[in-house]
Amino acid sequence: MTHDTRSYPQKPADAYLFATCLVDQFAPEAGLDTVRLLEREGIAIHFPEEQTCCGQPAYTSGYPDEARAVARRQIELFPEAWPVIVPSGSCAAMMRHHYPKLFAGDPVLEPRARALGERIFELTEFLVHVVGFRREDRGEPCTVALHTSCHARREMGAHETSAALLAGLAGVTVAQQARAEECCGFGGTFAIRHPAISEAIVSDKVASLKDSGAGRVVSADCGCLFNILGHAEHLDRAAGRSEPSLPGEHLASFLWRRTAGEQG
């Protein structure tokens, strides 16, 4: 496990949002709910529209030069000394831990990458350790399963902060799944390069989530969530089901819905 012990700042008046490309392109509601959660806590959220990918797909596929080109552009987008909130543990880990590695030895960019890394916070980490998130749960009683991405768990410790947020919701029971720490099979480009292996892994993950008895799955990483829900939907179609047997949503949306007066 490589996630570090860090000192946390006081709750800021301003913060940046790095939305991630998956949120931007496929789950904008998760990004909007992230903004709603933070603005309700009195934090002004700033969103540099030029942001793109964090560079992780190129980096983990063995293209460091291409990853550096992407990372260099992101480093330029957050000039103020505000926290940068990332609703994805894998993207947050890339920016916090791997940007400095990409620019190791560069007298200009390595210090800038390290300085940015110190300001990168995964969303649930920020809500727990900086905001001190405490909101009344207004939803109906429900049972959920939590899935945490491999990078979020091992590099950011976000499985602990995600669980803490769910534990703070009075009407929510968290179902215990078998082998909760195991991968869902997504792994970014891994699922594309090794589809058969990815499918075998996600099949096991979906089975364990369903066997837990949870009514839905929540995750703070959209890539994992899409992979799990997509496979569950495939199984539902094959079985002739019209309703999802395993619905799910990003943890930001789940938290907002539960604490904003909407039921379910």
Side-chain angles (χ1 to χ4, degrees):
M1 181 177 293
T2 61
H3 75 272
D4 52 342
T5 301
R6 65 191 305 190
S7 298
Y8 290 99
Q10 297 295 313
K11 185 173 71 172
D14 298 86
Y16 289 112
L17 173 66
F18 183 82
T20 81
C21 48
L22 286 179
V23 168
D24 184 49
Q25 296 294 319
F26 301 106
E29 68 280 0
L32 292 171
D33 289 334
T34 295
V35 172
R36 293 182 182 111
L37 286 169
L38 295 171
E39 287 185 337
R40 185 173 59 181
E41 301 296 334
I43 303 171
I45 300 301
H46 304 263
F47 179 78
E49 294 187 5
E50 298 86 355
Q51 63 183 266
T52 57
C53 178
C54 69
Q56 185 184 77
Y59 182 64
T60 57
S61 296
Y63 296 95
D65 291 339
E66 288 79 0
R68 270 188 285 271
V70 175
R72 185 179 298 111
R73 181 57 179 148
Q74 308 317 305
I75 290 173
E76 297 171 354
L77 296 178
F78 307 99
E80 301 293 338
W82 301 330
V84 181
I85 315 306
V86 187
S88 163
S90 58
C91 298
M94 176 67 190
M95 299 175 81
R96 178 165 173 79
H97 296 294
H98 298 286
Y99 276 15
K101 297 177 184 178
L102 277 174
F103 297 106
D106 188 308
V108 175
L109 289 174
E110 183 181 0
R112 292 184 64 188
R114 291 191 180 282
L116 175 63
E118 290 301 316
R119 295 190 286 126
I120 296 293
F121 295 89
E122 185 270 341
L123 174 62
T124 68
E125 172 195 25
F126 188 78
L127 288 174
V128 170
H129 293 302
V130 180
V131 170
F133 185 87
R134 295 288 187 276
R135 291 283 171 174
E136 180 185 358
D137 184 4
R138 301 185 178 184
E140 295 294 331
C142 70
T143 300
V144 303
L146 171 66
H147 175 76
T148 309
S149 78
C150 298
H151 289 94
R153 174 181 291 271
R154 293 172 175 83
E155 295 189 295
M156 299 300 290
H159 59 300
E160 297 171 352
T161 46
S162 294
L165 290 168
L166 292 176
L169 300 175
V172 175
T173 299
V174 179
Q176 299 304 308
Q177 56 171 301
R179 302 180 303 280
E181 73 282 357
E182 289 187 3
C183 179
C184 75
F186 177 60
T189 55
F190 175 87
I192 298 172
R193 290 182 285 126
H194 304 286
I197 299 174
S198 175
E199 183 175 4
I201 295 172
V202 74
S203 294
D204 286 346
K205 176 59 64 173
V206 168
S208 68
L209 289 168
K210 289 183 176 181
D211 289 345
S212 74
R216 68 177 53 238
V217 58
V218 295
S219 177
D221 279 84
C222 277
C224 299
L225 191 62
F226 293 160
N227 196 44
I228 290 168
L229 298 182
H231 187 72
E233 182 182 359
H234 170 73
L235 295 176
D236 289 340
R237 286 199 304 268
R241 298 190 184 96
S242 58
E243 295 295 325
S245 59
L246 186 66
E249 61 192 318
H250 192 282
L251 184 55
S253 295
F254 185 73
L255 288 172
W256 177 255
R257 185 166 56 81
R258 297 289 303 190
T259 61
E262 297 178 28
Q263 300 297 302

